[in-house]
Amino acid sequence: MQLRTLTPQRIYILIGYAVAATALFCAPLYLNDFRLNLLAKFLAFAIVALGLDLIWGYTGILSLGHGVFFGLGAYAMAMYLKLEASGGRLPDFMEWSGLASLPLFWKPFESFGFAVAAGLLIPALLALFLGYFTFRNRIKGVYFTILTQALVIITTTLFIGQQALTGGTNGLTGFSTLFGTPLAGEGMKHTLYYVTAVLLIAAFVLCRFIVKSRFGKVLRAVRDGENRARFIGYNPAVYQMVVFSISGALAGLAGMLFVLHVGIISPSMMGIVPSIEMVLWVAIGGRGTLVGAALGAILMNAAKSVFSENYPDAWLFFLGLLFVIVVVFLPKGLVGLFSRITFRKREESEEHEAAAAISHPAVRAGNG
Amino acid sequence: MEVLFLQLFNGISVSSILLLIALGLAITFGLMNVINMAHGELIMIGAYSTYVTQNIFMDLFPESMFGWYFVLAIPVSFLIAFVIGLILEFTLIRFLYGRPLDSLLATWGVALVLQQLARTIFGAPNVGVTSPSWLNGGLTVLDGVVFPYKRLFIIALVAVTLFIMYLYIYRSNAGRRMRAVMQNRDMAACLGVSTRRVDALTFAIGSGIAGIAGCALTLLGPIGPSLGTYYIVDAFMVVVLGGVGKLIGTVFGALGIGVTSTVFEFWTTASLGKVLVFVCIVAFLQWRPRGLVAMRTRQLDS
Amino acid sequence: MRKRVWSSVLLLVLSLSLILAGCGSNNGGTAPASSGAETASGTSSSGSSDNGSEIKVGILHSLSGTMAISEKSVHDAELMAIEEINAKGGVLGKKLVPVIEDGASDWPTFAEKARKLISEDKVATVFGGWTSASRKAMLPVFEEMNGLLWYPVQYEGLESSPNIFYTGATTNQQIVPAVTWLLENRGKKCYLLGSDYVFPRTANKIIKEQLKAEGGELAGEEYTPLGHTDYSTIISKIQQADPDVVFNTLNGDSNVAFFKQLRDAGITAQDMTTLSVSVAEEEIRGIGADVLEGHLAAWNYYQTTDTPENKTFVENYKAKYGADRVTADPIEAGYTAVYLWAAAVEKAGSTDIAAVKEAAKGLEWSAPEGKVTIDGENQHIYKPVRIGEVQADGQFKELWSTGEAVKPDPYLKGYDWAASLSSGR
């Protein structure tokens, strides 16, 4: 269905991407260090949002457990940084907790490569494991959502309880260097920012590739009519598992970047509240569109920072009301708002592309 | 022996508290399919209503009457939460029927607003509610085994609430209409049931019961702006484990979680106990995805 | 196809959003909107914190989330101290302007806001934090950017950052003397109950060593998840263990549930002594004095502490925030922190951090709790230790006190039995 000619629309798109890319890469020029650091954090969040959008917007599964995947990635990176900061000695919190030697599972994290691999693979495998059972048992919709909340409670309680191994509520912090270069240095910060920006774009391209592929069409078919897809001969569970796992890995990647920018990870970042917030970014940006998800994450976090800085006593009112208004009146998020304004007429026909391809316009996304 | 008795009682007591916090949700979530994340905040509203009632009694009535404030606080909490539920339904929830996951996100926003509102009105620190003197003390069953009156009272309160709810839902005309709407909205509408009114009333009743739970919880726990966050996840687990849509399922769900968690907590530690309970829930749902008591349905997609 | 068209519009918005993210940041010359409500009056053009006629100071506590129940009052006390100092002509003749941020009970947020206060608002110092986790999260930021933090809450010790002043008690100013007192006065069999996080676990490690060294006996040890609200099973366990003393390091809300339910189980302070280190006047209001009557707590300050400074402090606090409000140890420590910093700045003649730290060494001030002195070596303060008993009116009666201020010893170097705890540093 895609025309490869240079229609005016296509030119607009290219201009749009170019502007966005320029804005991203020039950010160090017009933002001070603090704001650049914030923006880098938001970009990391945008990667989680992309992953969430894959499973929620495109596959119709709402996970309130992405904080866990995010956290696992973050802990993997944090363990590496902590070991580097400790310089061969026992990390400080283990000392207070009375450990005599480094626990066995910490040892491999001395290697950067292992830490990165773990930060991607552990969340992916956990998602695969959870998905294998739940999706095969056809647990879906609300039940799946509540189940992921249980996963969050289990993980956070374990991480808090095992203080000697994980740092407890304090989490892991007090990092100093990466590859021997101080994390605090300006050069390092800029490099990390660029790395994040590039990874965000890579994640975007990957998600876009998935969504546009045949695989992506089946995902939307599963979203719009799981049983219909099944009757045609697809096994929805396999598709759900794979996409859930990819989504988990993206969250893990974002977690690793988050630690590099923020310098701390604690169980509170993997709790219920951040997990719900992540979903809200996608909802507000616009589920079912990748740009919307990424934008939602960046805008929402920027709004949160700005509100809380200006109105430390009342910012929760703004934020809460914003959630309510967007969810109720803009079910397709900000992207939906724009599309309504710009292309009101043509909007209806494009809605259920994939469902139509399979058979029936069926249920709306988001009903799970 | 004594320990066994005491733990059995503790298990039942914890179950009764879980049931109380989940009953309202069993209606709003179980029957109406609204994932009401503000349920915890409705509980909080009930608790603050009790606090206000107490203060009014302290100021206006002689001291000898003070003990009776609690009797009044139960209906007051119900009413205030009921009214707030009604307002919520009217301004927000009615736009969200049939979009359960959206309702989750919107009510999350409501929860944030209500928490901050409580903080603005009553201040950030916890407030104190003095429990009435007739609920102090306990029933000595065996030597060294004391069943506190408050816990017995909560068990009784739950039983009464459950009974009234049963009568209302299964034995009254209003309840019949409610069930009709929840089971087949279009058909009920065709037969002349005002579905709008039934929806509003149902949601408000669910909220009101959350208010009662809040009132009862002032006997045992803290009363502060973030009170609701401690109970919300547990309440959902109870409803889901029990099976959405059946009141009796919620009872079993509460008993299941309550007894298991006290047993685990006694044998292991509180943290590990919590982890084990949630692992059990996840495992159980793999086995029976629809919960303990599943609604029988021939629908393929529900 | 069409989807991609409007997405181009959105990408333009993306670029706008980047600017939004940066808004309030381009501090080049314009006054940003981002620096808290109170700064609106100032001209705050640029550069360092004490330009012109004002000095900016940061206040960073949780105003929302679960920790707000405790931190809001400390925040209030610090604002009051700033106001009082301004009323007396400020510091170095300049007015103090508080820049308020909300840590939102979330540790990464504390780090973010601390960074913002130092780099954008260029505050001279920050008063803030409550939980150990929030302090640990802020510590690297303050060390990296060479900021100054005043931390007002009792904590688990084993820390001494050059960029932090600790005005709350460290372990040898609260827990260690309390345990000694309990062993001498209330019995040897001790049960340790705490919330599952860093402070209770570290505190209990210290207590266990101390029990071994001073002839106590450990009856049991139990941790409950934060936000735990049902203590029936824990209370059964305690009853079974039948200790003389319960040493309670539960946090905030859990205390309410624990004490209410302990009372319901028919256990009063006469049957079993409990000593808490996180229950102060403010918490008593939320639990109920009738429930807590007779239970013990160890602090450095009580509202009833009898000093002339405290009399005015309590009067002013009530006049400002309401007659029903109470003062408590962390509130007093926050208030003291502001005055100590102001005194150090006066002595140094500038807000330069190195100069302030130098001037703070050995600085004395008559706080509401009594005379306190800054220990130049570890930047903690000398504090008197007091054990109090809850009375029917929700206030404490002092049962015992050290009289004079105790030298802070965060690594417990002065105790032989603690040698294994502070190894490595």
Side-chain angles (χ1 to χ4, degrees):
Chain A
M1 356 201 320
Q2 285 172 27
L3 301 172
R4 283 288 156 190
T5 48
L6 269 184
T7 59
Q9 291 165 346
R10 204 170 158 68
I11 293 174
Y12 288 140
I13 298 164
L14 290 175
I15 293 176
Y17 282 135
V19 171
T22 324
L24 267 185
F25 285 103
C26 295
L29 298 178
Y30 61 88
L31 291 180
N32 66 21
D33 272 1
F34 169 66
R35 296 290 152 178
L36 188 71
N37 187 253
L38 276 190
L39 181 62
K41 184 172 82 175
F42 302 163
L43 295 184
F45 285 152
I47 298 179
V48 193
L50 287 175
L52 261 176
D53 198 25
L54 271 189
I55 59 159
W56 188 29
Y58 289 94
T59 322
I61 305 163
L62 179 58
S63 157
L64 288 186
H66 263 52
V68 170
F69 305 129
F70 180 85
L72 288 174
Y75 267 97
M77 179 58 79
M79 282 160 79
Y80 165 74
L81 290 174
K82 190 78 197 171
L83 288 177
E84 188 168 309
S86 310
R89 302 225 324 262
L90 207 56
D92 48 7
F93 68 90
M94 289 187 182
E95 227 166 70
W96 310 324
S97 312
L99 283 196
S101 64
L102 200 64
L104 207 59
F105 77 95
W106 269 74
K107 290 231 166 78
F109 284 91
E110 280 166 0
S111 138
F112 181 75
F114 182 88
V116 170
L120 289 172
L121 285 179
I122 292 175
L125 289 177
L126 178 66
L128 203 62
F129 176 78
L130 191 73
Y132 177 76
F133 289 105
T134 37
F135 296 130
R136 261 187 6 150
N137 289 328
R138 301 197 190 171
I139 298 177
K140 50 192 173 182
V142 178
Y143 296 89
F144 179 79
T145 305
I146 304 279
L147 210 75
T148 52
Q149 289 217 315
L151 174 73
V152 169
I153 300 273
I154 292 169
T155 324
T156 45
T157 314
L158 271 180
F159 268 72
I160 292 174
Q162 301 302 315
Q163 193 188 316
L165 304 179
T166 61
T169 30
N170 283 5
L172 299 177
T173 182
F175 315 129
S176 52
T177 54
L178 177 66
F179 304 135
T181 322
L183 277 167
E186 185 159 318
M188 191 58 162
K189 283 195 166 156
H190 285 195
T191 314
L192 285 176
Y193 171 80
Y194 285 121
V195 168
T196 310
V198 167
L199 284 173
L200 172 62
I201 291 171
F204 184 84
V205 170
L206 172 76
C207 290
R208 205 179 145 72
F209 173 74
I210 292 174
V211 166
K212 294 286 165 190
S213 68
R214 212 179 108 77
F215 181 81
K217 279 197 182 129
V218 180
L219 290 184
R220 271 169 287 171
V222 169
R223 170 189 80 185
D224 293 342
E226 188 174 331
N227 280 315
R228 288 191 178 90
R230 188 174 283 125
F231 297 155
I232 291 169
Y234 294 101
N235 181 359
V238 173
Y239 286 86
Q240 287 166 325
M241 261 152 58
V242 170
V243 77
F244 190 47
S245 171
I246 294 174
S247 177
L250 283 174
L253 172 67
M256 288 193 276
L257 294 168
F258 174 86
V259 164
L260 288 171
H261 296 304
V262 180
I264 175 173
I265 179 67
S266 73
S268 67
M269 269 313 287
M270 39 195 334
I272 299 265
V273 177
S275 300
I276 293 181
E277 276 180 0
M278 288 169 188
V279 172
L280 279 164
W281 304 333
V282 180
I284 285 175
R287 75 193 77 152
T289 61
L290 295 171
V291 178
L295 257 184
I298 296 171
L299 280 177
M300 275 312 299
N301 281 294
K304 190 176 167 184
S305 279
V306 171
F307 283 165
S308 70
E309 278 164 20
N310 290 326
Y311 311 99
D313 279 321
W315 64 279
L316 272 178
F317 286 127
F318 296 118
L319 214 61
L321 286 175
L322 189 70
F323 293 163
V324 173
I325 289 167
V326 170
V327 172
V328 175
F329 298 107
L330 301 172
K332 284 190 230 152
L334 295 173
V335 168
L337 179 70
F338 277 96
S339 73
R340 210 151 61 184
I341 293 167
T342 36
F343 297 97
R344 181 167 293 183
K345 270 180 290 177
R346 287 179 270 181
E347 199 210 5
E348 281 168 13
S349 59
E350 65 124 277
E351 167 74 314
H352 300 294
E353 273 176 69
I358 294 283
S359 68
H360 194 280
V363 207
R364 278 266 307 282
N367 273 356
Chain B
M1 186 61 202
E2 288 135 33
V3 177
L4 192 72
F5 254 132
L6 202 58
Q7 274 314 103
L8 196 66
F9 176 77
N10 286 345
I12 292 170
S13 170
V14 171
S15 307
S16 71
I17 294 162
L18 285 172
L19 182 55
L20 194 57
I21 57 177
L23 266 182
L25 202 65
I27 295 180
T28 51
F29 173 48
L31 293 180
M32 307 180 72
N33 226 359
V34 172
I35 308 188
N36 185 10
M37 291 305 275
H39 183 73
E41 278 57 44
L42 289 162
I43 295 177
M44 171 196 80
I45 287 169
Y48 272 113
S49 307
T50 310
Y51 169 69
V52 172
T53 315
Q54 168 206 260
N55 287 356
I56 292 174
F57 260 71
M58 242 182 232
D59 292 345
L60 297 184
F61 293 94
E63 217 179 301
S64 54
M65 297 265 294
F66 177 74
W68 296 106
Y69 86 88
F70 200 74
V71 178
L72 187 70
I74 295 174
V76 167
S77 306
F78 177 83
L79 270 180
I80 294 179
F82 182 91
V83 169
I84 290 178
L86 210 57
I87 297 172
L88 260 185
E89 203 278 343
F90 195 72
T91 53
L92 176 65
I93 306 293
R94 67 181 170 130
F95 299 108
L96 297 170
Y97 291 125
R99 291 158 57 190
L101 297 179
D102 282 358
S103 71
L104 185 158
L105 301 176
T107 49
W108 173 257
V110 173
L112 290 186
V113 171
L114 287 176
Q115 277 177 35
Q116 194 63 19
L117 205 62
R119 218 166 265 136
T120 315
I121 298 173
F122 296 101
N126 284 335
V127 297
V129 170
T130 314
S131 26
S133 50
W134 49 273
L135 279 177
N136 286 340
L139 191 68
T140 311
V141 186
L142 287 170
D143 190 34
V145 181
V146 180
F147 293 175
Y149 287 136
K150 284 177 193 161
R151 288 182 180 268
L152 290 170
F153 176 80
I154 290 178
I155 294 174
L157 182 68
V158 172
V160 171
T161 314
L162 199 63
F163 185 65
I164 295 176
M165 272 174 72
Y166 170 78
L167 287 185
Y168 179 80
I169 297 178
Y170 294 100
R171 290 283 179 271
S172 77
N173 282 332
R176 198 164 295 127
R177 279 196 292 276
M178 184 200 275
R179 278 181 298 145
V181 172
M182 301 315 151
Q183 277 169 18
N184 193 331
R185 179 170 298 269
D186 296 338
M187 184 66 84
C190 286
L191 293 172
V193 178
S194 165
T195 55
R196 273 297 305 124
R197 250 190 25 223
V198 170
D199 282 338
L201 194 65
T202 312
F203 189 82
I205 289 176
S207 307
I209 292 170
I212 295 184
C215 177
L217 284 173
T218 59
L219 295 175
L220 297 177
I223 303 112
S226 42
L227 158 72
T229 54
Y230 300 138
Y231 299 103
I232 184 74
V233 178
D234 290 350
F236 271 105
M237 293 300 155
V238 168
V239 178
V240 169
L241 184 72
V244 170
K246 283 280 195 182
L247 218 50
I248 189 73
T250 310
V251 177
F252 286 133
L255 273 173
I257 295 182
V259 172
T260 336
S261 64
T262 36
V263 168
F264 281 141
E265 200 178 312
F266 191 75
W267 278 345
T268 63
T269 64
S271 294
L272 197 59
K274 192 173 166 189
V275 170
L276 288 174
V277 169
F278 277 87
V279 169
C280 286
I281 294 174
V282 172
F284 183 86
L285 286 179
Q286 301 292 345
W287 176 48
R288 299 195 59 169
R290 303 254 139 209
L292 279 162
V293 181
M295 280 269 262
R296 254 173 267 147
T297 169
R298 285 165 192 273
Q299 273 179 308
L300 188 59
D301 289 309
S302 53
Chain C
M1 190 62 226
R2 280 177 297 274
K3 201 180 247 174
R4 313 173 70 205
V5 178
W6 48 254
S7 73
S8 71
V9 178
L10 276 159
L11 285 165
L12 287 168
V13 180
L14 173 73
S15 46
L16 282 178
S17 78
L18 298 181
I19 297 161
L20 175 71
C23 93
S25 68
N26 300 339
N27 273 357
T30 50
S34 62
S35 41
E38 326 277 303
T39 47
S41 59
T43 45
S44 64
S45 50
S46 66
S48 83
S49 52
D50 56 349
N51 261 7
S53 60
E54 348 185 286
I55 302 175
K56 281 199 223 171
V57 295
I59 308 258
L60 177 48
H61 288 287
S62 297
L63 304 178
S64 60
T66 46
M67 286 315 297
I69 51 167
S70 308
E71 293 190 51
K72 184 70 168 53
S73 301
V74 181
H75 159 100
D76 290 346
E78 286 162 0
L79 284 181
M80 184 174 101
I82 290 174
E83 218 168 83
E84 285 177 10
I85 291 171
N86 281 342
K88 284 180 223 148
V91 176
L92 302 175
K94 293 171 192 168
K95 233 179 95 196
L96 299 182
V97 180
V99 181
I100 298 164
E101 288 290 347
D102 177 11
S105 311
D106 178 55
W107 324 144
T109 305
F110 269 98
E112 176 195 322
K113 299 297 183 193
R115 198 174 282 276
K116 185 231 167 206
L117 284 171
I118 303 171
S119 71
E120 289 214 327
D121 299 316
K122 310 214 184 298
V123 294
T125 184
V126 176
F127 304 97
W130 176 292
T131 57
S132 285
S134 66
R135 190 191 65 253
K136 291 274 185 213
M138 289 188 285
L139 186 144
V141 176
F142 280 94
E143 290 190 351
E144 173 199 325
M145 310 184 77
N146 193 24
L148 191 60
L149 172 69
W150 294 75
Y151 173 76
V153 184
Q154 45 80 233
Y155 81 114
E156 70 277 7
L158 305 179
E159 186 182 296
S160 168
S161 162
N163 295 75
I164 302 181
F165 280 93
Y166 306 77
T167 62
T170 178
T171 40
N172 80 313
Q173 295 168 317
Q174 184 184 28
I175 290 169
V176 174
V179 171
T180 308
W181 185 87
L182 284 173
L183 291 176
E184 280 167 11
N185 294 285
R186 295 294 168 107
K188 301 283 180 198
K189 206 170 161 190
C190 193
Y191 195 100
L192 306 179
L193 172 65
S195 293
D196 199 349
Y197 71 112
V198 176
F199 169 67
R201 282 189 180 269
T202 315
N204 286 348
K205 245 189 82 196
I206 293 169
I207 296 171
K208 279 187 279 182
E209 291 294 322
Q210 196 184 352
L211 287 178
K212 261 186 253 165
E214 297 183 5
E217 184 193 339
L218 182 68
E221 186 179 5
E222 195 69 47
Y223 300 94
T224 62
L226 289 162
H228 197 63
T229 49
D230 200 292
Y231 280 86
S232 49
T233 302
I234 300 285
I235 291 168
S236 304
K237 280 190 183 179
I238 295 178
Q239 278 175 308
Q240 263 199 311
D242 190 30
D244 299 323
V245 175
V246 174
F247 200 96
N248 167 26
T249 42
L250 288 175
N251 171 34
D253 276 354
S254 292
N255 277 312
V256 186
F258 172 66
F259 280 109
K260 281 188 176 177
Q261 293 166 26
L262 187 70
R263 175 68 184 273
D264 289 339
I267 302 170
T268 63
Q270 277 75 50
D271 306 321
M272 191 168 67
T273 301
T274 76
L275 186 137
S276 310
V277 291
S278 305
V279 174
E281 287 84 343
E282 184 114 289
E283 283 74 25
I284 296 176
R285 284 206 307 164
I287 301 172
D290 58 326
V291 174
L292 273 177
E293 196 178 344
H295 289 288
L296 307 181
W299 288 108
N300 310 103
Y301 164 88
Y302 299 110
Q303 186 176 321
T304 50
T305 295
D306 189 21
T307 62
E309 290 81 11
N310 187 34
K311 204 172 254 172
T312 22
F313 170 58
V314 174
E315 266 168 26
N316 292 346
Y317 191 80
K318 282 179 181 276
K320 187 162 163 61
Y321 296 113
D324 60 330
R325 292 282 290 267
V326 291
T327 61
D329 185 289
I331 297 176
E332 188 264 355
Y335 177 82
T336 303
V338 178
Y339 271 97
L340 282 174
W341 171 79
V345 172
E346 287 286 359
K347 191 171 153 197
S350 100
T351 57
D352 177 69
I353 285 168
V356 171
K357 274 168 57 179
E358 191 53 42
K361 282 182 185 164
L363 195 71
E364 287 183 1
W365 189 64
S366 294
E369 69 188 74
K371 197 173 81 179
V372 297
T373 315
I374 297 180
D375 187 317
E377 206 178 312
N378 53 33
Q379 306 196 152
H380 289 57
I381 64 179
Y382 286 68
K383 295 164 86 75
V385 186
R386 299 182 163 97
I387 287 173
E389 187 185 71
V390 182
Q391 304 296 297
D393 61 354
Q395 292 295 331
F396 283 97
K397 188 179 89 183
E398 189 177 300
L399 293 185
W400 175 85
S401 107
T402 51
E404 61 196 38
V406 175
K407 181 180 162 59
D409 184 5
Y411 293 99
L412 297 175
K413 286 177 190 143
Y415 301 84
D416 292 336
W417 49 262
S420 66
L421 297 167
S422 51
S423 63
R425 284 264 181 157

